[in-house]
Amino acid sequence: MVDISFGGWLKRQRKVLGWTQEQLALQVSCSMSALRKIEAGQRRASIQTAELFTQAFKIPSNERSAFLKFARGDWQSASALLNEEAPWRGPSSRRSNIPTPSTSLIGREQDIADVCEYLNKENIRLVTLIGPPGIGKTRLSIASAQQSPLAFSDGVFFIPLATIEDPSLVAPFIFQALGYVETKNKYVIEQIIDGVGDKQMLLVLDNFEHLMDGAAPLVSKLLSACSKLKIMVTSRESLRIPGEWLYSVPTLQIPKEDAMIDMEAASDFPALKLFTERARAVRSDFSLRADNIQTIASICTQLDGLPLAIELIATRIRLMSPQLLLERLNDQFVLSADGMRPETVRQKTLNNAIGWSYNSLTEAEKILFANLSIFSGGFTLNAVETIFFDNHAEKTIPELIALLSDKSLLQRTLDPQGETRFTMLVTIQKFAFDRLRQVNGESEMRNKHLAYFLDLTEQADKETHGPDQIKWMDLLENELDNLRAALNWCLSSGQTQYGLQLFAALAWTWNVRWLPSEARNWFYKLRAMPNVGEYPKNYARVLNGAGLREWRTGNYGEAYSVLEESLAIWQKLGADEDLGQAEALNRMGLLARWGDSDLDVAESYFNRSLAIYQIRKKTWGTAWNLFLLGGVAIGRAENETAFSLLQQSLELLQELGDLWGIGRVSQFLGELYFRQENYKKALFYFNQHLLNDEKIRFMDGVSVALANLGDLHRIQGDYAQAEQYYKKSLTISREYGMKADVVVNLYDLGLLALQQDNYPEALRYFIDFFETARTVHGEKKASHFFIGLAAVAAGTNQPERASILFGAAQAIPDTTGKRYLPFDQTEFERHIQMARDQLGVETFTILQARGRALPLKEAIAFALENQDL
C-alpha cells in the first residue's frame, strides 16, 4: 500500500473546491499558519481540527473513523478500515462540467455560503437563484456549485439555456450535458430519469426564465422521479412548482448616498472592489486612491451596486477619468455601455440584458412598466392604483404589479413601518423611462404623479397637529423622493402654482423632520420662478414656512425679510385670509422673543395672532400662542403667569393629541421647575420632552431636551453624564444646521469644563462659542464671551487680564435673553474673586474700569489675543 500524504491531499482538495487557505482555516477554526504547516506536512492536525475537516469535506459517517486516522497521519491504519482506495472519494471520481470563469467573483462569500447551506439540506431539492438582469445569478450558481461537489458524489452539471428558444429542447440539452448515449424508441426525459436514478447529483439550469411555461413541468418531473437529484436554477422569476426554495440575489453593498468614504472603509463595500478590479483590467495604472474614492463610490451608488452595470461602466475608465465618468452617467450612457465580448449578445449591454426581460412582457405589462418609471424612491400599491385608475387592461393593477415583481423587474421591500413598497433598480428604471419617452408619455404621467402627491401632502398637512401626526409624517418621509420629483417637475414644467402649493403643504413636516438646508434650496428655486406674484396666497404660505425655518436655524435677518414680505401680502389679501396673517404674526413673535429678546414686542405679536385664532376657533393656533406667551412670562420670571398659560396650552394640545406641542410645553415646564430647583419634577418633564420628540423624530427638540438634561446633571455634580448629554446635543445641532442651538451647546460645555477647573477645554469651548455666536447674533453674545474668558484667566493666574475682561462684560447689557443660572453666576464670582484677591481691591477696580471703558471692538480684539494659558 502506497503511503499517501494528508497534507498533499488537503491542499489539492482545497484548490479543487476553490477555497483559499483563509476560507478553509475559518471553517475548521485554526490559524492560517497552522493550516499551511498541515498542508506542507510539517504538522499533524489535532483531533479537534480533524473532526472539523470531516464536516468541511462532508465525509460520510461510515468513513469518518478511517478519515480521522488519515488526517492524523496514519494512512496505513486508515486504509485497513476501507474496502477500496479512498482519498477521499475525491473529485477525480466525480463527473463535472462546471465552467471555470475567467474573472474573480467579488463580494459573494456570504451568498455562496447561504446557497450551499440550502443545497446541503436534505429536505431542499430545488433552489432558484432569482433576481433582475445583471445581478450575477449565473456567477453565483457556478461558485456555489464549485463548492458543493462533495455533497454530490455522482456529479455536478451546468446546463446553460440562454440560447434555447424552444422549451422542448431543455431535456435534450440536459441529456447531452450528462453525457448519456441516446436510445431509440424511448423519450429523452425517460432516458434522463433512468440514467440519474438514485444518484446523488446536482444540475444547474442557467437562464431559465424564458422557458418557464414549457420547461417547469420537466423540472418537477425529474425531482419526483429521481429521489437524490437536486436542481439549482437561475431565473428572473420563480418556477412556482412544489418544493421550490427561492434565493433572492442581492446587489453588492454600496455606500449610502453622499456618505463620506475613506480608504479604510473601502474594503467594506464589494462594489468598490469590483469596479477597481475591472478598471485595472483595462488600465493597469488605475487604483483606488484617496483622491478618487469618493467619485468611484458615487458611481457605484448611482448604479445601485448592480454587478453587470459596474463591470460595463468600469471598462470606460480606459477612455476618461472617474470624475468625467460620473458626470456622464445619464440614461443612454449607462444603458448602452459595453465591455468585453460576452458569451451571449444579451449580456453585452444593460440595454440588451433588460430588453430580454422587457420583450417577454405582455402589452399591458409593458405599459405599466414604463409608467412606473416616474416614481422616485419606490411606491405603494395604493399610489399606483390611484394614479393609474384608468387602467383598461384585462388584469388589475395589483395583478400586473405582481407579475412585474415575479419577473424581477420590481423589487419588493418594506418601509420602516413594515408596509410593502416596490422599487426599481436605477438601471431598470432608466430603461423603463426610456420606453416612456419613446411613446411621449412623460408629461401625462408626471402630471398624474404630481396630482396624487399634491393631494396626499395637503391631506397630511391637515393631520400633522392631531393624534395621527406620526403616521402622516412617516408617510411623507417614506415618499420624500417622490415629493422631490414632483417639485422638480413643477420647476421644469413651469407649474408655479402647484409648486408653491406643494411646498407650502410640506412646510410643517419639513420643519419637524428634515434638513433645513434642502428646504432653503427649494425655496430659492421656487421664489425665482417668474410668476410667483400671480399666486399670492400660496406664495405667502411659502414665505411663512421660510420664516419659521430661518428663525430655527438662527438666520434672523433672512427670517425678518421673508416674514415682512409675507405680512404685506396677507394684509393685501384682507380678512378672508386672516389665518395666514395670524401665522406670520406668530413667526414674527418668535423672532422678537428668541432673536431680539424683546419681550414686549414678542408679546404683542403673540396676542395679535392669538386673537385671530380664537375668533376663528382654531384650537391648535390658540394653544401654540398660549404656549409662547408662557415663554414670554418665563423670560420675565413671572412664574405663576407662566404656569397658568402653559397649563391652558397643555390642556388644548392634549385634547388634540398633538405630541409635538405637548413636547414643547413639557420643555418649558421642565425649565420652570429647574429654575425653582425642583429637580425631580424637572427631570420628569425633560424626559417627557425627550421621549415625545424622539417619537416624532423632531431633532431640534431632541437637541434641546438633551441640553436641558445636561444642565440638570451638571448642576447636581454628575459631570460625566452632563458631558454625554451636551455632546449628543451638539452633534445633532451641527448635523441639522441649527446654529443657535450650537451656540448654547458650546457655552454649556465651556461652563462644564470651567466647573472642573479644566481651563484649556473651557477656553477652547468659549472661543468656539463666540465665533459661532457672531454668525447668529452678531456681537450680542460678547458679554457671555468676556465673562467666560475672565473666569479662565483668573483660574490660570492672569488676574490683570481677568479684571479687564470682567469690566468689559459688565459694560454690555445682556439683550439676548440668556440668563445665567444662579449656579453659574456663583461659579463666575468664585473665579473673579480669585483675581480680586491676587491683585487687591484697588488694582482690581482700576483694571475693571479700564475694561468697562473699552469700545466693543477693542474689547473683542483684546479677548481674542494672548490666549496662551
Side-chain angles (χ1 to χ4, degrees), residues 150-168:
L150 292 173
F152 303 100
S153 56
D154 295 298
V156 177
F157 299 92
F158 182 82
I159 299 98
L161 302 174
T163 58
I164 300 177
E165 298 294 339
D166 184 353
S168 67

Side-chain angles (χ1 to χ4, degrees), residues 15-18 95-105 137-149 155-161 177 202-207 232 234 343:
K15 289 185 174 181
V16 165
L17 295 174
R95 296 186 300 143
S96 174
N97 71 340
I98 298 296
T100 301
S102 57
T103 57
S104 59
L105 181 61
K137 301 180 292 293
T138 298
R139 287 299 306 272
L140 179 57
S141 73
I142 291 171
S144 301
Q146 285 175 329
Q147 294 214 13
S148 300
V156 177
F157 299 92
F158 182 82
I159 299 98
L161 302 174
L202 173 66
L203 302 184
V204 181
L205 305 180
D206 184 46
N207 289 302
M232 178 163 48
T234 72
E343 292 182 8

Side-chain angles (χ1 to χ4, degrees), residues 457-585:
T457 303
E458 293 192 318
Q459 180 62 34
D461 192 39
K462 296 173 185 175
E463 304 286 348
T464 49
H465 296 307
D468 293 327
Q469 63 181 206
I470 293 179
K471 167 189 166 185
W472 282 94
M473 286 183 184
D474 285 346
L475 191 153
L476 291 183
E477 185 150 347
N478 293 336
E479 300 296 355
L480 182 54
D481 284 336
N482 279 310
L483 297 170
R484 289 169 175 144
L487 285 169
N488 264 323
W489 177 242
C490 290
L491 291 168
S492 63
S493 61
Q495 299 187 63
T496 305
Q497 178 183 358
Y498 294 136
L500 293 170
Q501 199 173 332
L502 177 61
F503 192 58
L506 283 171
W508 188 257
T509 297
W510 215 307
N511 166 63
V512 173
R513 282 283 179 93
W514 305 325
L515 290 174
S517 56
E518 183 182 353
R520 188 176 295 118
N521 289 335
W522 287 114
F523 170 66
Y524 290 149
K525 290 177 182 178
L526 288 164
R527 196 183 197 184
M529 295 186 80
N531 55 341
V532 290
E534 296 175 19
Y535 310 99
K537 179 181 175 180
N538 287 331
Y539 179 50
R541 287 180 65 206
V542 167
L543 291 171
N544 283 355
L548 178 63
R549 178 185 64 250
E550 298 308 327
W551 165 74
R552 276 186 60 222
T553 54
N555 298 315
Y556 299 141
E558 178 70 8
Y560 271 120
S561 174
V562 296
L563 288 173
E564 285 170 352
E565 184 180 358
S566 169
L567 272 174
I569 294 172
W570 291 119
Q571 287 166 359
K572 284 183 181 179
L573 290 172
D576 289 343
E577 299 298 343
D578 58 356
L579 285 176
Q581 184 177 1
E583 187 177 70
L585 289 167

Side-chain angles (χ1 to χ4, degrees), residues 180-193:
Y180 294 155
V181 178
E182 187 174 355
T183 303
K184 293 182 179 180
N185 303 322
K186 201 169 191 179
Y187 290 115
V188 172
I189 181 63
E190 293 177 1
Q191 294 181 61
I192 295 173
I193 291 171

Side-chain angles (χ1 to χ4, degrees), residues 743-761:
V743 170
V744 174
N745 296 146
L746 291 169
Y747 203 73
D748 286 339
L749 284 162
L751 291 170
L752 179 64
L754 185 68
Q755 283 175 232
Q756 299 173 83
D757 296 338
N758 185 345
Y759 299 116
E761 279 284 278

